[in-house]
């Protein structure tokens, strides 16, 4: 069909609608957005070069647009349907995150745009977790939870119809897309009416707070949205001044010149009133699930760079543990900074040591006379330019920290994992893409194109850039 609109446009309709809904549902989130905007404005005012760079890249007008959200699902069927729903919006499963390493009974993926044009139009992603009832010790309770989950339908009938239409026609018309987004929103909406009694909720909650959050409600309410900030340290500091309680530490690498991977922090989940069902009528209770988060992204790392990151983070966490009340947070930050002195802090060094992924291009109008012997010469001459590739994915240890903090504790925990990617992909009905594979493809493809443009294609095979 010729009048289908681009999936990127549907994603933008969706992320805008989610943002509006979440701001109305969680007023503190609106306060966080205001703080992020103020901090971003201050950073831009103090750094005109950065402002010019963002403006040239078309980044300025969508600086405040949300970068990600998260949901937690209950069954294989739900994960299967959600994959089909996100595909309509040009979002595909990338990466497998085993959160059992942190004692959490979930495993996850990120639904996100994969090609470069789509990412630059709107990078909105959804960190999506599937609960793992098989990890529950209490088998009776696991079965009961399974029965409760089997009764619910998280995607509306009309949304399912429109998904099938999109699959058949290769997309949706504008009118269909608008209706689809309205229907999709129903899946992620908050329901203060629990589907279980106070007694069942308590049993689920005692087994694990995450289990109660997933099993007790009609759908997988969006549990946070995350805008981008240009200065995460300033937002972390600014939160208490606006009456918001941040988690104890910023997750990820420390503050650096050459930013790597992903830094994130969140405000603590709110305690919200809910109603339980019951034979003797409904009763009131509270539930904490929904919060707000901010993120700051840096360059994607090669497997070699990532191994170094994991090693330094591991050493930090071994040396200093943050307690459940956030005690030890400042020694943790000091230790992190100290450990990461071993991580080169310039993009040029990161490139030469093959620690990070770049995107290559020929300088506008550049030519290179003769045959160059190596890439470094081309880069030094200014003919070949290497731009950092932004990390578009998540970090399991950081994600665990965000989960923990919003389950009521800042304590860091380290367990041994029980990864099961095969089971996850069976439920999903598809394989998850390898994030490294995507960055590597972009790097190689851009290098070959740039070298060809410079008449230096012979170098493309010489350099296995990563
Ligand atoms: C997801 C937590 C992980 C992130 O940004 O790493 C996450 C959740 O709490 O469901 O969103
Ligand atoms: Ni998040």
């Amino acid at each position: 069909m010729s009048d289908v609109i681009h999936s990127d446009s549907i994603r933008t309709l969706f992320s805008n609608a989610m943002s509006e809904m979440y701001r109305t549902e969680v007023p503190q989130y609106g306060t966080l957005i205001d703080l992020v905007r103020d901090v971003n404005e201050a950073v831009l005012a103090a750094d005109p070069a950065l402002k010019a760079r963002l403006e040239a890249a078309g980044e300025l007008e969508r600086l405040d647009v949300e970068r990600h959200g998260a949901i937690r699902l209950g069954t294989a069927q739900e994960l299967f349907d959600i994959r089909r729903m996100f595909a309509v919006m040009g979002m595909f499963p990338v990466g497998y995150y085993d959160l059992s390493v942190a004692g959490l009974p979930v495993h996850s993926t990120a639904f996100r745009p994969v090609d470069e044009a789509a990412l630059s139009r709107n990078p909105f992603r959804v960190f999506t977790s599937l609960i793992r009832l098989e990890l529950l010790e209490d088998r009776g309770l696991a079965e009961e939870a399974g029965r409760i989950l089997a009764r619910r339908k998280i995607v509306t009938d009309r949304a399912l119809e429109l998904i099938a239409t999109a699959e058949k026609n290769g997309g949706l018309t504008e009118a269909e897309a608008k209706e689809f987004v309205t229907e999709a929103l129903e899946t992620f909406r908050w329901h203060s009416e629990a589907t279980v009694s106070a007694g069942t909720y308590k049993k689920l909650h005692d087994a694990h707070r995450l289990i109660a959050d997933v099993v007790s409600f009609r759908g997988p309410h969006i549990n946070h949205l995350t805008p981008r900030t240009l200065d995460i340290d300033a937002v972390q500091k600014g939160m208490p001044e606006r009456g918001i309680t941040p988690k104890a530490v910023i997750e990820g690498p420390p503050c650096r010149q050459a930013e790597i991977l992903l830094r994130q922090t969140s405000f603590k989940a709110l305690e919200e009133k809910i109603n339980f069902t019951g034979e003797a009528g409904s009763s009131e209770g509270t539930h904490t699930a929904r919060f707000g988060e901010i993120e700051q992204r840096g360059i994607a790392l090669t497997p070699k760079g990532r191994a170094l990151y994991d090693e330094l983070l591991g050493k930090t966490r071994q040396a200093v543990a943050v307690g459940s009340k956030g005690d030890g947070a400042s020694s943790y930050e000091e230790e992190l900074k100290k450990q990461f002195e071993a991580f080169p802090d310039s993009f040029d060094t990161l490139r030469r040591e093959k620690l990070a992924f770049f995107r290559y291009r020929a300088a506008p109008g550049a030519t290179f006379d003769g045959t160059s012997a190596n890439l470094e010469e081309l880069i030094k001459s200014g003919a070949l330019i290497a731009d950092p590739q932004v990390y578009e994915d998540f970090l399991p240890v950081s994600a665990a920290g965000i989960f923990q903090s919003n389950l009521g504790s800042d304590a860091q925990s380290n367990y041994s994992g029980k990864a099961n990617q095969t089971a996850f992909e069976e439920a999903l009905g598809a394989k998850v893409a390898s994030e490294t594979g995507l960055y590597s493809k972009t790097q190689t493809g851009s290098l070959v194109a740039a070298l060809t443009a410079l008449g230096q294609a012979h170098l493309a095979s010489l350099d296995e850039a990563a």
Side-chain angles (χ1 to χ4, degrees):
M1 266 188 20
S2 56
D3 55 350
V4 300
I5 64 169
H6 201 287
S7 55
D8 293 347
S9 311
I10 309 182
R11 184 169 64 261
T12 296
L13 282 177
F14 175 71
S15 66
N16 289 343
M18 290 283 269
S19 173
E20 216 169 283
M21 178 173 86
Y22 203 64
R23 265 180 238 209
T24 322
E25 288 183 352
V26 183
Q28 276 219 354
Y29 179 64
T31 311
L32 179 69
I33 294 272
D34 293 341
L35 171 61
V36 168
R37 188 176 309 118
D38 291 349
V39 166
N40 286 353
E41 268 168 21
V43 171
L44 291 172
D47 189 348
L50 174 68
K51 186 170 179 181
R53 221 168 44 239
L54 290 172
E55 195 151 25
E59 287 280 342
L60 217 46
E61 73 266 27
R62 44 182 209 92
L63 197 57
D64 298 326
V65 169
E66 277 82 1
R67 300 303 155 122
H68 82 259
I71 54 169
R72 306 159 181 169
L73 302 174
T75 67
Q77 182 65 45
E78 290 177 5
L79 183 63
F80 185 84
D81 288 339
I82 285 292
R83 172 180 60 76
R84 295 172 60 220
M85 176 184 274
F86 284 140
V88 176
M89 306 184 228
M91 297 155 82
F92 305 98
V94 178
Y96 172 77
Y97 302 94
D98 170 26
L99 277 308
S100 70
V101 291
L104 300 167
V106 296
H107 45 185
S108 321
T109 190
F111 286 96
R112 71 163 174 90
V114 289
D115 71 69
E116 288 180 82
L119 279 164
S120 77
R121 268 182 224 122
N122 180 337
F124 189 68
R125 336 161 171 74
V126 178
F127 190 91
T128 302
S129 302
L130 176 64
I131 202 87
R132 299 177 72 183
L133 294 176
E134 76 274 16
L135 298 184
L136 278 195
E137 259 165 47
D138 184 342
R139 295 318 301 154
L141 186 65
E143 271 164 36
E144 186 179 351
R147 276 196 302 275
I148 297 168
L149 286 168
R151 286 202 293 263
R152 73 178 191 179
K153 271 190 77 180
I154 64 165
V155 182
T156 66
D157 289 340
R158 184 62 186 142
L160 284 171
E161 268 170 36
L162 287 164
I163 291 167
T165 304
E167 287 171 348
K168 189 166 104 239
N169 297 342
L172 296 176
T173 64
E174 187 162 1
E176 286 168 345
K178 285 192 176 142
E179 194 189 356
F180 168 76
V181 167
T182 306
E183 291 288 329
L185 226 49
E186 290 308 309
T187 298
F188 305 105
R189 191 181 291 292
W190 170 246
H191 300 282
S192 54
E193 305 290 320
T195 56
V196 299
S197 67
T200 305
Y201 178 89
K202 182 169 187 318
K203 273 193 293 175
L204 296 167
H205 193 272
D206 288 348
H208 201 290
R209 295 169 69 127
L210 260 180
I211 305 272
D213 182 53
V214 175
V215 177
S216 310
F217 299 92
R218 249 196 296 155
H221 37 262
I222 183 92
N223 66 46
H224 67 283
L225 286 178
T226 308
R228 168 188 184 188
T229 173
L230 297 172
D231 186 346
I232 197 166
D233 300 284
V235 179
Q236 174 85 349
K237 260 216 236 81
M239 278 198 252
E241 289 156 26
R242 302 211 187 187
I244 313 178
T245 313
K247 73 188 286 300
V249 296
I250 294 173
E251 298 290 345
C255 177
R256 298 162 37 94
Q257 291 292 319
E259 307 238 36
I260 55 170
L261 298 172
L262 171 64
R263 301 182 72 207
Q264 6 172 203
T265 184
S266 58
F267 68 71
K268 296 287 186 69
L270 313 172
E271 190 167 320
E272 301 181 86
K273 277 212 173 78
I274 59 169
N275 292 304
F276 298 111
T277 61
E279 266 140 42
S282 72
S283 59
E284 271 195 3
T286 60
H287 181 70
T288 47
R290 301 192 303 159
F291 58 98
E293 187 194 356
I294 45 168
E295 64 167 52
Q296 187 170 349
R297 289 180 183 266
I299 193 170
L301 299 184
T302 60
K304 181 182 168 197
R306 179 56 183 269
L308 180 58
Y309 171 82
D310 287 340
E311 181 195 325
L312 300 177
L313 185 68
K315 281 187 184 159
T316 308
R317 292 169 64 94
Q318 225 152 46
V320 185
V322 178
S324 64
K325 298 270 180 294
D327 38 304
S330 63
S331 345
Y332 176 83
E333 271 156 28
E334 268 164 44
E335 183 69 23
L336 187 70
K337 192 122 202 133
K338 201 179 94 205
Q339 290 292 347
F340 273 77
E341 279 162 17
F343 210 114
D345 198 8
S346 84
F347 287 123
D348 201 50
T349 315
L350 293 176
R351 185 184 53 77
R352 279 185 285 104
E353 295 189 8
K354 298 192 192 319
L355 291 167
F357 284 115
F358 290 81
R359 183 182 296 103
Y360 290 90
R361 62 191 161 96
T367 50
F368 192 85
D369 292 333
T371 303
S372 172
N374 60 62
L375 280 189
E376 290 313 310
E377 183 186 38
L378 285 176
I379 287 174
K380 261 204 210 95
S381 79
L384 181 65
I385 299 172
D387 297 314
Q389 275 191 58
V390 176
Y391 186 61
E392 305 289 357
D393 294 286
F394 292 89
L395 298 165
V397 174
S398 296
I402 299 284
F403 265 108
Q404 294 291 9
S405 168
N406 285 292
L407 295 169
S409 161
D410 268 309
Q412 295 176 336
S413 46
N414 307 286
Y415 297 83
S416 64
K418 294 189 187 68
N420 194 344
Q421 187 168 342
T422 312
F424 188 83
E425 289 178 333
E426 258 165 38
L428 188 65
K431 295 250 180 255
V432 300
S434 133
E435 57 257 48
T436 316
L438 293 170
Y439 300 117
S440 173
K441 201 170 126 214
T442 297
Q443 176 163 282
T444 310
S446 63
L447 183 61
V448 170
L451 289 174
T452 308
L454 292 169
Q456 309 294 325
H458 65 282
L459 286 178
S461 53
L462 267 184
D463 185 275
E464 275 312 312

